[in-house]
Amino acid sequence: MRRSARVTVTALSVLCLLAGEAAAKVYLHETFDDDSWEQRWVLAKWKEGEGLAGKFELSHGKFFNDEKADMGLKTTQDAKFYTASTSFDGLSNKDKTLVLQFQVKNEQNIECGGSYLKFGPKIDDPKEFKGETQYSVMFGPDMCGSATRKTHLIFNYKGKNLDRKKDIEVKNDNLSHLYTLVLRPNNTYEVQIDQKTVADGSLYDDWNFLPPKQIKDPSQSKPKDWVDAKEIDDPEDKKPESWVEEKQIPDPNASKPDDWDEEEDGEWTPPMIDNPDYKGEWKAKRIPNPDYKGEWVHPMIDNPDYFDDPAVYAYSDISMVGIDLWQVKAGTIFDNIVVCDSEEEAKAVADKYFVPLRDAEKKLKEEEDKKKAEEEEARRKEEEAKEKEEDDEEEDEEDEDEEAPEEDEGGAEHDEL
Ligand SMILES: *[C@@H]1O[C@H](CO)[C@@H](O)[C@H](O)[C@H]1NC(C)=O
Ligand SMILES: *[C@@H]1O[C@H](CO)[C@@H](O)[C@H](O)[C@H]1NC(C)=O
Ligand SMILES: *[C@@H]1O[C@H](CO)[C@@H](O)[C@H](O)[C@H]1NC(C)=O
């Protein structure tokens, strides 16, 4: 029975493998190439009434490679909320690899603002999409001052948003960057920035999906008489009689001024000075505590609330991408948002759009930096030349001042002749 079942399973999995390879699928590739994005994306009503809903527009930004392909969705107004979403024929990533990928360019030198995306189940009414709307994965950069500088990777699990235990780095240099999340059916993940791995491992290790297997036994606590002081004051050690504890003393060298008038000035007292013999506070010698019992260790018991889940990576419905941001400094450009079940497909999109854009941006940035440096150098030279000219003029004037009397003298001599 078991055996024949396994044969069937093996045959099935071969079929699945073949089918799986053929069925690599891109569920969403949003390119923001033209105004048609307005039909695909729904702007949420949230914050509209308060006048805090920021406007989006298409832009390829300052540096670009291909005017049309590099068009992206840009946030345009400072100190606004940006809330919009799109839906697509989505997937359950159960038994599948899920890849979420997008480009983002913060060319505004973003000081404070998020530039992450939310991926999740279809929203009943996209106009009602807002900060609290439940999502499955939140992924991407967030920056505010020096305190917040990270790539968020938050998973919603059983209704709770789980932050990664340790922050993931982020890029902040005005250029386009590619953020890729790979979520695998063996409960591992990988985060790439610009096609380089910056974080990877087990979902179980890096997020608290499951409750701890063991907890501290609530029926036990440290006994009142538990001695956990490693050292004590030596009871044999006594403060010496001669120990000087006065920090200040009346100055023995001061004497009452001759013109001191007790009636008018009151009684004379010498000024206080630091005591040269002061030894500081006396402290007894420390010795090991003979009663020391060691650190008290709380006994652990099995957690009655523990459960296992062999598939924390799995979401039943990923069919929505949402932008839900607060930006103090707007100007973020999103492009090439991809949801697919194949790393190869995601890489193909990146190679086609991101790689040439990144290369062009780097080149243009280098040219700009070079031009700036040259202008700076030219300005410096000009200033130097100007300073030198002024110095020369001053020197000339000084020379003239020195020469003039001589000439006069000469003239006078001449006259005398
Ligand atoms: C980003 O651009 C702004 C303005 O163009 C500039 O002041 C800033 O130094 C740039 N930041 C980086 C990291 O290059
Ligand atoms: C998970 O799957 C990936 C891709 O198949 C593989 O490279 C990796 O070694 C697996 N990790 C574990 C812990 O099974
Ligand atoms: C008082 O004056 C003497 C002589 O100048 C000096 O050696 C001594 O240190 C002084 N004492 C104090 C407490 O300043």
Side-chain angles (χ1 to χ4, degrees):
M1 175 69 207
R2 281 242 87 164
R3 184 151 297 193
S4 66
R6 194 184 297 162
V7 171
T8 320
V9 167
T10 310
L12 262 178
S13 51
V14 170
L15 273 181
C16 283
L17 259 178
L18 291 174
E21 265 171 32
K25 190 167 165 192
V26 177
Y27 296 83
L28 173 79
H29 179 194
E30 174 56 80
T31 58
F32 297 115
D33 281 348
D34 53 45
D35 287 342
S36 64
W37 75 273
E38 288 173 13
Q39 269 111 61
R40 294 187 297 274
W41 287 72
V42 178
L43 303 181
K45 284 198 312 225
W46 196 51
K47 301 292 174 187
E48 231 171 46
E50 295 160 66
L52 287 174
K55 283 202 169 53
F56 293 99
E57 68 181 27
L58 290 186
S59 169
H60 46 54
K62 193 167 87 173
F63 298 146
F64 59 92
N65 176 50
D66 182 299
E67 197 172 347
K68 189 168 156 70
D70 294 340
M71 276 295 179
L73 192 65
K74 179 176 174 178
T75 62
T76 63
Q77 297 167 297
D78 289 349
K80 298 276 183 200
F81 289 87
Y82 292 87
T83 321
S85 68
T86 189
S87 59
F88 50 96
D89 276 341
L91 75 158
S92 160
N93 67 326
K94 184 129 182 48
D95 301 325
K96 274 196 190 122
T97 293
L98 173 67
V99 184
L100 308 176
Q101 177 174 280
F102 62 98
Q103 284 166 224
V104 64
K105 170 152 66 178
N106 283 314
E107 67 177 9
Q108 73 273 41
N109 194 27
I110 194 166
E111 276 145 19
C112 190
S115 45
Y116 43 80
L117 295 176
K118 291 178 173 179
F119 301 82
K122 190 153 278 141
I123 307 167
D124 293 337
D125 182 0
K127 283 206 136 309
E128 295 298 328
F129 178 50
K130 54 165 149 271
E132 296 86 63
T133 304
Q134 188 169 316
Y135 57 83
S136 304
V137 181
M138 180 174 131
F139 178 47
D142 195 9
M143 271 158 294
C144 203
S146 54
T148 305
R149 279 180 177 275
K150 61 176 164 183
T151 299
H152 279 293
L153 182 45
I154 298 175
F155 293 109
N156 185 279
Y157 184 66
K158 296 187 191 290
K160 271 195 209 139
N161 293 332
L162 306 181
D163 223 332
R164 193 169 179 271
K165 289 181 196 166
K166 272 197 283 184
D167 285 353
I168 302 175
E169 67 174 82
V170 74
K171 301 285 178 203
N172 186 15
D173 61 2
N174 297 350
L175 301 180
S176 288
H177 291 287
L178 183 76
Y179 288 83
T180 307
L181 167 67
V182 183
L183 207 54
R184 300 198 179 96
N186 63 5
N187 294 294
T188 63
Y189 74 99
E190 182 173 342
V191 174
Q192 298 166 0
I193 301 180
D194 303 345
Q195 302 182 302
K196 286 194 190 76
T197 304
V198 294
D200 64 345
S202 154
L203 293 172
Y204 297 105
D205 291 346
D206 296 348
W207 284 262
N208 287 320
F209 279 94
L210 306 181
K213 272 193 177 138
Q214 292 217 307
I215 54 165
K216 287 175 179 170
D217 184 350
S219 73
Q220 305 238 22
S221 58
K222 184 161 85 174
K224 286 231 160 56
D225 58 355
W226 189 269
V227 180
D228 55 7
K230 256 189 189 157
E231 289 189 324
I232 51 165
D233 286 353
D234 182 356
E236 304 292 313
D237 194 19
K238 294 266 154 11
K239 182 160 82 174
E241 295 281 324
S242 60
W243 194 269
V244 179
E245 274 187 330
E246 287 81 29
K247 250 190 186 157
Q248 291 213 309
I249 50 164
D251 186 351
N253 289 347
S255 53
K256 186 162 82 173
D258 291 342
D259 56 357
W260 191 270
D261 184 340
E262 297 241 321
E263 258 169 37
E264 224 170 80
D265 302 329
E267 194 192 333
W268 181 81
T269 51
M272 299 297 281
I273 57 163
D274 287 344
N275 185 354
D277 298 325
Y278 175 62
K279 292 208 176 161
E281 192 196 335
W282 183 82
K283 282 197 187 101
K285 210 168 69 195
R286 301 283 288 171
I287 55 163
N289 186 353
D291 300 327
Y292 177 59
K293 291 199 182 170
E295 290 290 317
W296 186 73
V297 181
H298 203 133
M300 303 294 278
I301 53 161
D302 287 345
N303 182 0
D305 297 328
Y306 178 76
F307 59 85
D308 195 7
D309 181 348
V312 294
Y313 73 94
Y315 291 99
S316 58
D317 176 28
I318 301 276
S319 54
M320 181 281 306
V321 178
I323 295 173
D324 165 40
L325 304 169
W326 156 252
Q327 290 202 319
V328 173
K329 214 166 155 193
T332 299
I333 302 174
F334 290 102
D335 203 5
N336 290 307
I337 304 173
V338 172
V339 176
C340 68
D341 58 12
S342 141
E343 288 178 66
E344 289 73 30
E345 291 290 341
K347 184 173 181 303
V349 172
D351 288 345
K352 182 166 173 197
Y353 295 95
F354 173 69
V355 171
L357 171 62
R358 178 198 56 197
D359 293 347
E361 280 181 357
K362 273 197 178 149
K363 201 169 133 245
L364 292 166
K365 173 90 167 43
E366 270 165 28
E367 280 168 13
E368 190 192 67
D369 288 350
K370 200 171 145 219
K371 212 172 118 205
K372 264 192 204 150
E374 279 167 8
E375 279 169 9
E376 185 60 33
E377 178 68 12
R379 195 167 48 235
R380 204 178 54 79
K381 281 211 175 117
E382 201 175 299
E383 254 163 42
E384 261 180 24
K386 218 163 100 196
E387 265 170 34
K388 187 154 184 295
E389 212 170 277
E390 280 169 9
D391 283 354
D392 287 352
E393 265 168 33
E394 266 169 40
E395 265 171 41
D396 284 351
E397 275 167 30
E398 277 167 25
D399 286 353
E400 273 164 30
D401 288 350
E402 278 164 23
E403 276 160 21
E406 272 171 31
E407 252 172 40
D408 272 351
E409 274 166 35
E413 268 168 37
H414 209 245
D415 274 357
E416 269 168 38
L417 276 175

